[in-house]
Amino acid sequence: MPSQSLRLGIAGLGTVGVGVLRILRKQAVLLEKRTGSTLTISAVSARDRSKDRGVSLSDCGWEDDPVALAKREDVDVFVELMGGADGAAKAAVEAALNAGKDVVTANKAMLALHGQALAERAEAAGRVLRYEAAVAGGIPVIKALTEGLAGNEITRVLGVMNGTCNYILTRMEETGQGYNALFDECARLGYLEADPTLDVGGIDAAHKLAILSSIAFGTQVDFDGIEIEGIERVTLDDIRHAADMGYRIKLLGVAQQTGRGLEQRMMPCLVPAASPLGVLQGGTNMVVLEGDAVEQIVLRGPGAGEGPTASAVLGDICDIARSIRLPVFGQPASGLKQSKPARAILPAPYYLRMALVDKPGALAKIASVLGEAGVSIDRMRQYGHADETAPVLIVTHKCTREALDAALSAMSGTGVLASDPVVLRIEAV
Amino acid sequence: MPSQSLRLGIAGLGTVGVGVLRILRKQAVLLEKRTGSTLTISAVSARDRSKDRGVSLSDCGWEDDPVALAKREDVDVFVELMGGADGAAKAAVEAALNAGKDVVTANKAMLALHGQALAERAEAAGRVLRYEAAVAGGIPVIKALTEGLAGNEITRVLGVMNGTCNYILTRMEETGQGYNALFDECARLGYLEADPTLDVGGIDAAHKLAILSSIAFGTQVDFDGIEIEGIERVTLDDIRHAADMGYRIKLLGVAQQTGRGLEQRMMPCLVPAASPLGVLQGGTNMVVLEGDAVEQIVLRGPGAGEGPTASAVLGDICDIARSIRLPVFGQPASGLKQSKPARAILPAPYYLRMALVDKPGALAKIASVLGEAGVSIDRMRQYGHADETAPVLIVTHKCTREALDAALSAMSGTGVLASDPVVLRIEAV
């Protein structure tokens, strides 16, 4: 069988783009065996043509303008690795689709914010738009969810999807250093995005969650419907106290259908210390997929880096070379429903940390306020203390966020709280 | 777009077959949205037509003979869920391919023993033969390896692929009961195959490893090339001593290319207790895929059961409905090389447990024999003892199995061993 040829145009030659070039060259023979196609690079585009990237560009064309690259006659697949939700990346992807090219991208922000419009455009043009590298780096989670678990009604998707946040949280526990010191360490190590709030503010991870939700629940990507809280306010005290109660704090994304809409949240949560998510250390990512038939699948792997991210991009390119052509979010974009955002509808146990004024009856007041709001206490600890406030930890039984908020509001009127309580949800895994 | 129809013939209505029927009925609407096809069941086949399986068969045809089912005009995809490496299952799969049907199977033994011939037959007929359910139950590992990691040169595949063995080993540690008691418990719970040596002898897991090796390394399935040892001889003593040194014992499958051939083994090994494989409890499966670009991906999920296995079968059916058509082992069967089996070529650390005659100089003799064979000691422990033999544990630095065997042979001539040493490989993960 004579080999076919698939001609690529690659826009963006940062870490990932260079990684893709390296694999295409190093593994040319293997890739041809696996796909039945020769994968060639017609041209590339990046900001600075003269920069030394450690890979030769002499055998492929160059375009200063990614939009021009996207439209080239000799490009079958446009590979967008520039990043940025809007601007050049989006313009080039749109141009490529309009010109009848398939598209592979690693751009989570673009998909989280414009996924529905881009999917409609791709499907109208009869083109595919693939983005395995956009979620959880090297883990083939888009493929697992869209294809491997296609026989399941997905019940919950959750995971740790930002390696930098997980690195900071696990290093806080290991080293006893506070958030600020570890933020600085990450900045020195180059672990942070140019705008670090994308990482530590939970936004980058929420982009990924929005994409997974859409596939899992057949809904239009709804980034704005995600309740987002970053890790900036996680303290060493909470990390230690959570550990004391058998938990670890993770920046956890959770998406699930409730009777009253789609709940999507990305926020610091407690998970059992011995669970797969609890034992996840450092920059590794983990996604948990739950379905009515498969029960629970856990996927773990590197969430970033040249090799892993390029591996995911290559997976998409090989799929296209092998004529694997699916709707962008696993079913036609025209049939995706708008989801109704639901906020913390389902009951869960909560972790509460509070500092009580050290007076007789203080704890009793807190306990009775919780009881009146219908929040029952699973476990409680009061710690020894040298100053005038008594540290108290409470793990509640499952309760609604509504009931808990009522209790918290009543608590603030008791006069026994020395400061605002810390409230963290405990996610069962 | 008008919906297409994909007509199934399902042979075998045990747990998995019934699970597949249930999903096809319960999720008909969802499956049509995702695949663009209506999935219908033309006919089924099983041993006993009158048996009550808890699912209605009134809306589909019946064939007593699976071969007749495989050839039916109104069947597009033959789904083989009977099991057994040869006999009816193989005859029916061959008949289906010859009749131009695509095939989905969960039959690991058939693929491990006849995979190459079946792949050649399928590809000659232009048909696909899919088997996601054959390896690691609900985990979409065939898809991850064949498609998701297609851009990688795979360097190692390893994992825990038999839930019953992992259940026995973890329960031994938890309960302090010996192997025989837990074997009996598994028999009572229905966790064992009709021929239990398939499970506890490591054969079932080795079937799965043979399939993964073929995809990973582009070689013909070579079940006979696997070094297999079951868990029957794992003792409580070893489980406890391994734990003492920071390890857990797992029935671990490992496949990797060495300079001198393909190493495939399925045998009890030690893994670090805190590693993903080390913390794996009970009947859950885990497969670790390592590639030059992606580094390491870990997949965890239920290895058996109605829902998870049916989920994998449905994944394959949906792929066919979505026109995903790949060679059986990820590249044309005609190009798969015969592998040369290599046995424990790569050096590894080893765990040795021995009982020494309690005489002055006994330990020194062992240490010097090891040293002379070029095996250096990483850690050693001698335990207190009441009888006349001294229990000694040694963890070696990395050494070749050849060097270790020379040392073991020399040891037996020293006269200080009270019994044959236990030797277990320590696998780095």
Side-chain angles (χ1 to χ4, degrees):
Chain A
M1 195 171 68
S3 190
Q4 298 178 306
S5 168
L6 193 76
R7 300 165 302 170
L8 312 173
I10 299 174
L13 293 178
T15 308
V16 181
V18 168
V20 170
L21 285 182
R22 285 212 176 101
I23 295 179
L24 285 168
R25 282 163 183 169
K26 181 179 165 200
Q27 304 294 4
V29 174
L30 187 65
L31 293 168
E32 187 173 344
K33 268 194 207 163
R34 288 182 179 158
T35 64
S37 293
T38 52
L39 307 178
T40 60
I41 305 160
S42 294
V44 297
S45 172
R47 282 211 193 110
D48 178 359
R49 186 168 189 173
S50 61
K51 184 175 169 186
D52 181 8
R53 296 176 174 89
V55 287
S56 162
L57 302 175
S58 61
D59 59 348
C60 54
W62 176 274
E63 296 282 351
D64 286 320
D65 176 9
V67 171
L69 176 65
K71 294 176 177 173
R72 271 174 76 121
E73 280 284 323
D74 60 357
V75 165
D76 302 312
V77 179
F78 179 64
V79 183
E80 186 279 300
L81 303 171
M82 296 180 286
D86 302 280
K90 182 159 167 274
V93 165
E94 288 169 349
L97 294 172
N98 291 347
K101 320 293 190 187
D102 291 324
V103 173
V104 172
T105 177
N107 193 327
K108 58 213 84 162
M110 182 178 70
L111 282 158
L113 301 180
H114 309 294
Q116 180 64 21
L118 290 171
E120 287 172 8
R121 187 184 292 258
E123 292 169 27
R127 295 293 102 196
V128 297
L129 168 59
R130 306 291 307 247
Y131 48 88
E132 185 63 81
V135 180
I139 306 175
V141 61
I142 300 296
K143 183 168 275 287
L145 185 60
T146 313
E147 301 170 33
L149 304 189
N152 287 263
E153 185 177 331
I154 301 297
T155 48
R156 187 171 63 154
V157 172
L158 68 164
V160 167
M161 304 180 217
N162 182 284
T164 303
C165 289
N166 203 52
Y167 177 85
I168 290 176
L169 293 173
T170 54
R171 289 279 292 166
M172 283 173 76
E173 182 171 356
E174 279 166 27
T175 66
Q177 296 177 79
Y179 170 80
N180 290 329
L182 285 158
F183 179 91
D184 294 344
E185 182 180 314
C186 283
R188 276 199 308 279
L189 292 169
Y191 287 1
L192 290 165
E193 304 254 0
D195 173 3
T197 59
L198 287 176
D199 284 314
V200 296
I203 296 164
D204 166 82
H207 286 151
K208 298 168 187 169
L209 184 68
I211 296 169
L212 292 179
S213 280
S214 173
I215 304 168
F217 304 111
T219 50
Q220 296 183 12
V221 174
D222 180 20
F223 176 73
D224 291 336
I226 304 180
E227 191 181 357
I228 303 176
E229 188 184 313
I231 62 165
E232 303 95 329
R233 293 189 303 166
V234 174
T235 65
L236 268 177
D237 271 352
D238 286 311
I239 285 177
R240 285 180 189 140
H241 288 317
D244 227 25
M245 305 293 260
Y247 298 102
R248 285 221 170 81
I249 301 180
K250 298 287 171 190
L251 177 67
L252 196 70
V254 181
Q256 59 195 332
Q257 284 286 9
T258 72
R260 287 154 66 186
L262 176 63
E263 183 175 326
Q264 298 182 92
R265 41 195 163 76
M266 179 61 65
M267 50 177 57
C269 285
L270 271 59
V271 294
S275 67
L277 282 162
V279 297
L280 191 73
Q281 299 284 304
T284 310
N285 281 20
M286 181 174 283
V287 183
V288 180
L289 305 174
E290 295 176 351
D292 63 344
V294 80
E295 298 165 10
Q296 186 185 68
I297 297 288
V298 180
L299 311 171
R300 178 187 192 278
E306 177 186 314
T309 313
S311 165
V313 172
L314 259 293
D316 282 342
I317 293 172
C318 289
D319 271 7
I320 293 173
R322 286 161 151 177
S323 302
I324 296 179
R325 305 187 70 80
L326 299 184
V328 179
F329 294 105
Q331 51 180 285
S334 57
L336 297 171
K337 285 170 288 196
Q338 268 196 300
S339 62
K340 187 181 145 210
R343 207 180 146 116
I345 298 290
L346 302 175
Y350 285 87
Y351 158 100
L352 309 178
R353 180 168 63 87
M354 47 192 78
L356 300 191
V357 178
D358 195 5
K359 284 184 189 165
L363 194 57
K365 275 192 185 155
I366 294 298
S368 82
V369 157
L370 283 166
E372 280 157 22
V375 175
S376 72
I377 295 174
D378 176 21
R379 288 184 287 155
M380 194 278 297
R381 284 188 193 173
Q382 178 166 335
Y383 290 84
H385 52 103
D387 58 8
E388 280 159 19
T389 62
V392 170
L393 292 192
I394 292 175
V395 170
T396 73
H397 281 294
K398 275 190 180 186
C399 64
T400 63
R401 180 72 212 210
E402 204 180 348
L404 188 67
D405 284 342
L408 290 168
S409 163
M411 256 180 223
S412 68
T414 58
V416 303
L417 287 177
S419 57
D420 281 345
V422 171
V423 181
L424 293 166
R425 186 178 166 113
I426 301 174
E427 191 73 25
V429 273
Chain B
M1 195 172 65
S3 190
Q4 297 179 305
S5 168
L6 193 75
R7 301 165 302 170
L8 311 174
I10 300 175
L13 294 178
T15 309
V16 181
V18 167
V20 170
L21 286 180
R22 286 212 175 100
I23 295 179
L24 285 167
R25 282 160 182 170
K26 181 180 165 200
Q27 303 295 5
V29 174
L30 186 65
L31 293 168
E32 187 173 344
K33 267 194 206 163
R34 288 184 180 158
T35 65
S37 291
T38 52
L39 307 178
T40 61
I41 304 161
S42 295
V44 298
S45 173
R47 282 212 194 108
D48 178 0
R49 187 167 188 172
S50 61
K51 183 176 171 185
D52 180 9
R53 298 178 171 88
V55 288
S56 162
L57 302 174
S58 61
D59 60 349
C60 54
W62 176 274
E63 297 283 352
D64 287 320
D65 176 8
V67 171
L69 176 65
K71 293 177 178 172
R72 271 173 75 120
E73 279 285 323
D74 60 357
V75 165
D76 302 313
V77 179
F78 179 65
V79 183
E80 186 279 302
L81 303 172
M82 298 180 284
D86 302 279
K90 181 160 167 272
V93 166
E94 288 170 347
L97 294 172
N98 290 346
K101 320 294 189 187
D102 291 324
V103 173
V104 172
T105 177
N107 193 327
K108 58 212 84 160
M110 182 178 70
L111 282 158
L113 300 181
H114 308 294
Q116 180 66 20
L118 290 171
E120 287 173 10
R121 190 184 291 259
E123 292 167 27
R127 296 293 102 196
V128 297
L129 168 58
R130 306 290 308 246
Y131 48 89
E132 185 62 83
V135 180
I139 306 175
V141 60
I142 301 295
K143 185 168 275 287
L145 184 59
T146 314
E147 302 170 32
L149 304 189
N152 287 262
E153 185 177 333
I154 301 298
T155 49
R156 188 172 62 154
V157 172
L158 68 164
V160 167
M161 303 179 217
N162 182 285
T164 303
C165 289
N166 202 51
Y167 178 85
I168 290 176
L169 294 174
T170 54
R171 289 279 292 165
M172 283 173 76
E173 181 170 356
E174 278 166 29
T175 66
Q177 294 178 81
Y179 169 80
N180 290 327
L182 286 158
F183 179 90
D184 293 345
E185 182 181 316
C186 283
R188 277 197 310 279
L189 293 168
Y191 287 0
L192 289 165
E193 304 256 359
D195 172 3
T197 58
L198 287 177
D199 284 314
V200 296
I203 296 165
D204 167 81
H207 287 152
K208 299 168 185 167
L209 184 68
I211 296 169
L212 292 178
S213 280
S214 173
I215 304 168
F217 303 112
T219 50
Q220 297 184 12
V221 174
D222 180 20
F223 175 73
D224 291 335
I226 305 179
E227 192 180 358
I228 304 177
E229 189 184 314
I231 62 166
E232 303 95 329
R233 293 190 302 165
V234 175
T235 65
L236 270 176
D237 270 351
D238 286 310
I239 286 177
R240 286 180 187 138
H241 288 316
D244 226 26
M245 305 294 261
Y247 298 102
R248 284 219 173 82
I249 299 180
K250 298 289 171 187
L251 177 66
L252 196 70
V254 181
Q256 59 196 333
Q257 284 286 10
T258 72
R260 287 154 65 187
L262 176 63
E263 183 175 327
Q264 298 183 90
R265 43 196 160 77
M266 179 60 67
M267 51 178 56
C269 286
L270 271 60
V271 295
S275 67
L277 282 163
V279 298
L280 191 73
Q281 299 285 303
T284 312
N285 281 19
M286 180 173 285
V287 183
V288 180
L289 305 174
E290 295 177 348
D292 62 344
V294 79
E295 298 165 10
Q296 186 187 68
I297 298 288
V298 180
L299 311 171
R300 180 187 189 279
E306 177 185 315
T309 313
S311 164
V313 172
L314 259 293
D316 282 341
I317 294 172
C318 289
D319 271 6
I320 292 173
R322 286 161 150 175
S323 303
I324 296 180
R325 305 186 71 79
L326 299 184
V328 179
F329 294 104
Q331 51 179 286
S334 57
L336 296 171
K337 282 169 289 193
Q338 268 197 299
S339 62
K340 186 182 146 213
R343 205 180 149 115
I345 298 292
L346 302 176
Y350 284 88
Y351 158 100
L352 309 178
R353 178 168 66 86
M354 47 192 78
L356 300 191
V357 177
D358 196 6
K359 284 186 186 163
L363 194 58
K365 275 192 184 157
I366 295 297
S368 82
V369 158
L370 283 167
E372 279 157 24
V375 176
S376 71
I377 296 173
D378 178 21
R379 287 183 287 154
M380 194 280 295
R381 282 188 195 172
Q382 178 167 333
Y383 291 85
H385 53 102
D387 57 9
E388 280 160 18
T389 62
V392 169
L393 292 190
I394 291 174
V395 170
T396 73
H397 281 294
K398 274 191 180 183
C399 64
T400 63
R401 180 72 211 209
E402 203 181 348
L404 187 67
D405 283 343
L408 290 168
S409 163
M411 256 181 224
S412 68
T414 58
V416 302
L417 288 178
S419 58
D420 281 344
V422 171
V423 180
L424 293 167
R425 188 180 165 111
I426 301 174
E427 191 73 28
V429 272

